[in-house]
Amino acid sequence: MLSLPIVTPRLRIRPFVPGDERPMMDVYGDADVMRYIPGGPLPDEDAVRRIMDEQLLAQTARGYAYYAVELIAGGEVVGDAGFGLLEETGDVELGYTFARRAWGRGYATEAAAACLAAG
């Protein structure tokens, strides 16, 4: 089981908690962010909550999942990072999605490296 939280100099990677729906809507509801994610953007916060709940169940069942990524400075949730299971192949994949406001700052690289090290 992956040990959480994963902390980097700028990020805290942790399980989703109630209240993360609003900032994650900026991620999962944005067509540009979700352009390469199967299923595309989510329609509302209820759909976001279902995804968050699925990740909490995955953590319990498999020991890994996708997690909220929050900025240590200020605690703002800016995306997700972690591991998923590709249904077609059974392979584990490293993935991340970030709100557009967080693009271009190296957060994805920092989060991915930290998840790989923790995994």
Side-chain angles (χ1 to χ4, degrees):
M1 177 156 312
L2 206 61
S3 180
L4 298 168
I6 301 167
V7 179
T8 73
R10 301 183 298 164
L11 307 173
R12 180 176 296 105
I13 302 164
R14 57 156 176 82
F16 289 108
V17 297
D20 288 342
E21 298 89 346
R22 167 61 47 201
M24 289 308 297
M25 189 66 204
D26 290 344
V27 178
Y28 298 150
D30 185 314
D32 284 337
V33 172
M34 300 296 284
R35 149 180 66 215
Y36 301 111
I37 306 298
L42 299 181
D44 54 38
E45 287 185 27
D46 287 335
V48 171
R49 168 58 46 215
R50 284 191 295 277
I51 294 295
M52 291 168 40
D53 288 345
E54 288 172 10
Q55 296 312 308
L56 294 170
L57 290 172
Q59 173 67 19
T60 300
R62 297 190 307 244
Y64 60 87
Y66 291 103
Y67 311 103
V69 177
E70 69 179 18
L71 302 179
I72 289 175
E76 177 187 10
V77 174
V78 294
D80 72 11
F83 301 98
L85 188 63
L86 293 173
E87 290 181 23
E88 302 81 24
T89 64
D91 293 332
V92 175
E93 74 168 342
L94 169 67
Y96 48 80
T97 48
F98 284 87
R100 279 190 284 160
R101 69 182 180 280
W103 289 2
R105 298 184 180 164
Y107 296 146
T109 301
E110 188 172 330
C115 286
L116 281 175

